[in-house]
Amino acid sequence: MNFAFSEEQETLREFVRNFLEEKSSEAAVREQMDTDNGYDPDVWQQMSEQMGLQSLIVPEEFGGQGFGYVELIVVLEEMGRSLLCAPFFSSVVLAANTLIHSGDETAKSNLLPQIASGTIATLAFTEENGKWDEGGITMQASESDGGYTLDGSKMYVLDGNTAEIILVAARTANGVSLFHVDAGADGLTRTSLATMDQTRKQSKLDFSGTPATLIGEDGKGWDTLSTVLDLAAVGLAAEQVGGAQMCLDMAVEYAKVRVQFGRPIGSFQAIKHKCADMLLEVESAKSAAYYAGWCAAEMNDELPSTASLAKAYCSEAYFHAAAENIQIHGGIGFTWEHPAHLYFKRAKSSELLFGDPTYHRELLAQRIGI
């Protein structure tokens, strides 16, 4: 096992970072977070047509590049670093992964090429109960005229308002199943949700007799979904690492240039300790996220436990780094004009997304049998 990224992966990192520094600057993030859709269509098109990011992990036979999960976490880390406002996580990490692991060749052939070419997609599974496990899925799917119809609501759907391909988890008589719903389907109502983190849009989706197409085997949806949620936890951990590193970089740079009592504040012991603690946590978070990413690439037996471990640790490391970054910046760090609060809000929303650290520590304990 090689714990270092290859030359090609580092080149990919540099390529993506250069692109995001130009297209996802602080000004661009602030502009997009104030829009209803939450992304720039021109940038999204460039990501698809010029960089091929949406097709990164899609198998070649379905119009993708066929790269592994390690390459994906490199990209996600850079996106977290720049707070990219785009439906990448929902389209690739959630929807594309669901299709890839569904075992439904027809659905793969029909939908994956669309995602690879830039069609926005998402996965709707969380409901008003706020649970991230199988028991939280209560929405009903009924057989109708050789197909299915859905009735119920889904909450906290990432990019639910803009997605053209919507994958939905619902219950049939045989258990949890996965379905595909067209964005313009009858009986589908989409409502934007007010969120603390304006850089990542969420929606409520209401279904009333909405026609849907079964994906995979009836009653076997949780087998796919549980794997996808582990992969999503790993992807989000990589995002969190990128954001935490950026918070550390911002804090250290400010500590070097901010002078108080005739000295840079970084020379004071209290600030040194804060920065040292942040560095330790960020580097540890990287180790957790990178190892989980390798497990995801290999799809080995360690994936469930490492996914929960990485999500729990990286969530706390990012939130602590974002909070300490504000403290080190002092008064300016609390203002709307400074970008520190953008990372703080993303850190908090990411901490809760797919289950908070307490949830994942409990899940980890169950998975390793303690």
Side-chain angles (χ1 to χ4, degrees):
M1 184 192 308
N2 187 355
F3 286 97
F5 291 107
S6 67
E7 182 179 349
E8 290 79 8
Q9 290 160 349
E10 291 294 354
T11 300
L12 173 64
R13 180 188 300 279
E14 182 180 2
F15 181 54
V16 173
R17 179 173 295 189
N18 290 339
F19 176 80
L20 293 177
E21 284 178 348
E22 178 183 353
K23 302 297 183 180
S24 186
S25 63
E26 180 190 341
V29 169
R30 289 180 180 273
E31 179 180 352
Q32 295 310 316
M33 61 188 263
D34 286 336
T35 65
D36 292 334
N37 290 339
Y39 76 103
D40 185 336
D42 292 334
V43 173
W44 182 250
Q45 185 176 17
Q46 284 180 289
M47 289 169 58
S48 172
E49 297 179 358
Q50 298 179 20
M51 304 184 68
L53 294 182
Q54 288 90 321
S55 66
L56 191 68
I57 62 168
V58 175
E60 293 182 65
E61 60 264 37
F62 301 114
Q65 300 186 63
F67 282 100
Y69 221 76
V70 174
E71 285 76 17
L72 180 61
I73 66 168
V74 168
V75 172
L76 289 170
E77 185 179 347
E78 293 305 313
M79 289 180 174
R81 180 179 181 272
S82 66
L83 293 181
L84 174 69
C85 294
F88 184 86
F89 199 96
S90 56
S91 297
V92 177
V93 182
L94 292 178
N97 265 326
T98 299
L99 292 166
I100 290 170
H101 295 280
S102 69
D104 190 325
E105 296 302 319
T106 301
K108 291 181 188 179
S109 299
N110 291 339
L111 301 177
L112 281 176
Q114 296 182 52
I115 295 175
S117 63
T119 300
I120 299 172
T122 193
L123 171 65
F125 66 96
T126 316
E127 301 181 10
E128 292 188 18
N129 55 45
K131 295 181 179 179
W132 303 97
D133 56 13
E134 183 178 7
I137 300 173
T138 63
M139 196 172 86
Q140 295 299 307
S142 306
E143 290 194 62
S144 174
D145 299 327
Y148 291 84
T149 57
L150 304 180
D151 291 279
S153 299
K154 293 293 181 180
M155 293 289 290
Y156 321 117
V157 182
L158 300 186
D159 303 300
N161 256 26
T162 54
E164 299 173 61
I165 297 172
I166 303 171
L167 306 182
V168 185
R171 285 189 180 273
T172 66
N174 295 317
V176 174
S177 303
L178 294 170
F179 299 89
H180 166 228
V181 174
D182 290 323
D186 293 337
L188 172 62
T189 304
R190 306 197 268 187
T191 307
S192 295
L193 297 176
T195 58
M196 180 182 70
D197 176 18
Q198 297 166 290
T199 65
R200 177 169 271 154
K201 303 298 183 181
Q202 299 183 19
S203 301
K204 177 185 179 183
L205 305 185
D206 292 302
F207 302 84
S208 179
T210 306
T213 303
L214 179 68
I215 295 177
E217 188 177 345
D218 184 15
K220 300 294 184 182
W222 183 250
D223 294 343
T224 300
L225 195 54
S226 60
T227 299
V228 171
L229 291 179
D230 285 338
L231 294 172
V234 174
L236 190 58
E239 247 196 28
Q240 291 170 318
V241 163
Q245 180 66 60
M246 187 63 176
C247 290
L248 173 60
D249 293 344
M250 291 168 61
V252 170
E253 181 61 29
Y254 187 76
K256 290 178 180 178
V257 300
R258 177 69 169 97
V259 175
Q260 189 74 321
F261 305 111
R263 297 163 54 187
I265 63 172
S267 65
F268 295 111
Q269 190 175 48
I271 300 299
K272 288 180 181 179
H273 284 179
K274 283 183 179 292
C275 291
D277 289 343
M278 290 169 67
L279 175 63
L280 175 62
E281 291 183 356
V282 170
E283 290 300 316
S284 298
K286 286 182 179 180
S287 297
Y290 294 166
Y291 186 76
W294 175 80
C295 292
E298 298 292 318
M299 289 302 295
N300 60 27
D301 294 339
E302 290 185 87
L303 174 59
S305 57
T306 57
S308 286
L309 187 153
K311 177 60 171 65
Y313 190 86
C314 293
S315 292
E316 293 182 336
Y318 188 10
F319 185 72
H320 182 249
E324 291 291 70
N325 182 39
I326 292 176
Q327 291 293 321
I328 290 173
H329 276 82
I332 188 65
F334 286 86
T335 65
W336 178 263
E337 289 75 19
H338 197 276
H341 73 95
L342 300 177
Y343 287 88
F344 182 86
K345 292 173 181 176
R346 173 64 75 88
K348 188 59 181 179
S349 69
S350 296
E351 180 184 38
L352 302 177
L353 191 60
F354 308 128
D356 63 13
T358 300
Y359 169 82
H360 276 282
R361 280 193 288 266
E362 172 64 25
L363 198 57
L364 174 61
Q366 294 174 10
R367 286 172 165 178
I368 63 177
I370 60 174

